[in-house]
Amino acid sequence: MKLVWCPETASKAYIEGVKTLASENQGQEETDVAEFISALAGGWKAQLIIDAQSNNNPTSTSLTLTTAAQHTHGKYVCLSEDETETKNVMKQLKGVDFLVVDGRRRDVASVVKEAKPGPRGMVVVRYNARKSNIVSSAVIGAGMRVVRSVFLPIGEGVDVVHVGVGKGPSLGKSGQSRWIRHIDEDTGEEHLFRR
């Protein structure tokens, strides 16, 4: 099996996320990222959504992911930075469909490494990502492959990585070359690389 995109659920999760944030009066830049992540979770029909936050306060992302979980009839688990030290919480990271990690966490790489995808694969979203691409290098493990990876300039940056399970081509291990487009955030210059 594989993750399949559902535009109807994505739009429902997005609209409900907007309504939820409007009632909470969140800041515009923060809500843009939260609404996008909510639509992603809804569109992939995630059954287990893990939200690894950098603080203990409910964020706009946690509010919209809760609504997305209601639309997908899935389970939403919120992990603060303190909780990830315990082994009981790490056991919850098995069979993950959708993992959201705040880039301000000190243990981003370890959270991503501990998360084990479900039989359909997993989508990893890191917001407040800035420039580094720690998600792609951290998730490649035995039986997993990066199907698609993209950095989006929303808020402080959003990394989205689709991790597949089983056999198949991976972005990092493929023998074929491909073109990668990179836009320098400081100068606005576009660079094309062949990989």
Side-chain angles (χ1 to χ4, degrees), residues 74-75 84 115 143 185:
K75 181 179 178 182
T84 57
E185 294 176 18

Side-chain angles (χ1 to χ4, degrees), residues 179-194:
W179 288 95
I180 298 172
R181 187 178 117 206
H182 177 271
I183 298 176
D184 189 325
E185 294 176 18
D186 299 329
T187 63
E189 294 177 346
E190 180 179 12
H191 303 280
L192 292 173
F193 300 98
R194 189 170 182 177

Side-chain angles (χ1 to χ4, degrees), residues 122-166:
M122 163 174 75
V123 175
V124 179
V125 178
R126 182 172 64 111
Y127 62 99
N128 295 324
R130 295 180 188 87
K131 293 183 181 179
S132 65
N133 192 3
I134 197 166
V135 173
S136 292
S137 61
V139 295
I140 298 176
M144 293 187 282
R145 67 189 190 289
V146 176
V147 177
R148 181 160 296 189
S149 175
V150 67
F151 177 82
L152 302 170
I154 304 171
E156 290 187 37
V158 177
D159 257 342
V160 181
V161 179
H162 179 194
V163 179
V165 292

Side-chain angles (χ1 to χ4, degrees), residues 62-137:
S62 61
L63 294 171
T64 57
L65 284 174
T66 303
T67 8
Q70 292 170 354
H71 283 284
T72 63
H73 305 290
K75 181 179 178 182
Y76 170 75
V77 178
C78 181
L79 303 175
S80 70
E81 201 160 11
D82 300 333
E83 292 175 358
T84 57
E85 300 299 324
T86 63
K87 292 187 178 186
N88 290 336
V89 175
M90 289 300 190
K91 290 177 184 176
Q92 295 178 11
L93 297 178
K94 306 277 190 265
V96 177
D97 289 319
F98 200 81
L99 174 64
V100 180
V101 183
D102 189 342
R104 295 177 290 207
R105 289 179 67 107
R106 295 181 306 259
D107 61 345
V108 172
S110 64
V111 169
V112 174
K113 284 180 184 177
E114 289 293 325
K116 304 298 180 226
R120 302 183 312 144
M122 163 174 75
V123 175
V124 179
V125 178
R126 182 172 64 111
Y127 62 99
N128 295 324
R130 295 180 188 87
K131 293 183 181 179
S132 65
N133 192 3
I134 197 166
V135 173
S136 292
S137 61

